[in-house]
Amino acid sequence: MNAESDERKEVAVTVASGSAAGDEGRTGRELGSRAPGFIRGSKVLHLSWQVGIFVVGLAVVGAGIVMLPLPGPGWLVIFGGMAIWATEFVWAQLVLRWTRRKVTEAAQRALDPKVRRRNIILTTVGLVIIAVLVGIYVWKFGVVMPWKIDQ
């Protein structure tokens, strides 16, 4: 669980030479722990810090997973937990960079005029089909309210 090992520099070099080099240049952030210097100076304190960050991140990610089927912003909370982990762990930083890159690419594709036109057409066709089906149901069975009011 020690993000401050000598492997950190090797990972940074690997990431800089790989496809995430553009992300590193844009963000200007180095991979690894962002703990204050006095915490990184002591191995015991830094390990305690990492355990605390891991537990808090795990609790937030767990809450997000619970919110997926229940009401609440599940994915947003999960990404918040990943951001908490990313303050200390290189693997979480790399996952967040990859996710950010994929979301940006999807947003750019969604803004393409051809894709927008296709989505508008498909949505309109879907709404028309639903309206026709609802109309047929109401015509055949009528509207029956669930409560009994005699007037």
Side-chain angles (χ1 to χ4, degrees):
M1 284 183 66
N2 191 358
E4 285 297 313
S5 65
D6 293 335
E7 296 171 0
R8 178 175 140 210
K9 293 178 184 174
E10 294 172 13
V11 171
V13 169
T14 304
V15 170
S17 65
S19 63
D23 291 339
E24 178 117 45
R26 274 193 307 230
T27 60
R29 292 186 179 170
E30 187 176 307
L31 293 174
S33 176
R34 295 195 184 116
F38 71 93
I39 290 177
R40 285 183 290 183
S42 169
K43 275 204 170 285
V44 173
L45 192 56
H46 191 239
L47 184 61
S48 301
W49 177 268
Q50 286 181 327
V51 168
I53 292 293
F54 183 78
V55 169
V56 169
L58 186 64
V60 172
V61 169
I65 290 172
V66 168
M67 286 184 203
L68 287 176
L70 299 176
W75 285 110
L76 184 66
V77 174
I78 289 173
F79 289 129
M82 288 297 295
I84 291 171
W85 278 339
T87 63
E88 195 59 34
F89 302 108
V90 173
W91 61 268
Q93 293 168 359
L94 295 175
V95 167
L96 278 181
R97 285 183 182 181
W98 178 83
T99 304
R100 190 175 295 131
R101 189 173 60 246
K102 291 298 180 182
V103 167
T104 303
E105 290 171 5
Q108 291 301 321
R109 280 194 311 267
L111 292 176
D112 181 29
K114 290 180 182 178
V115 173
R116 289 185 66 198
R117 190 176 314 116
R118 182 196 68 200
N119 290 345
I120 290 172
I121 290 170
L122 288 175
T123 302
T124 304
V125 168
L127 289 174
V128 167
I129 290 172
I130 290 173
V132 167
L133 291 174
V134 167
I136 291 172
Y137 179 85
V138 168
W139 173 69
K140 190 163 188 152
F141 299 108
V143 179
V144 178
M145 295 297 166
W147 52 85
K148 305 274 184 188
I149 299 177
D150 295 329
Q151 290 183 346

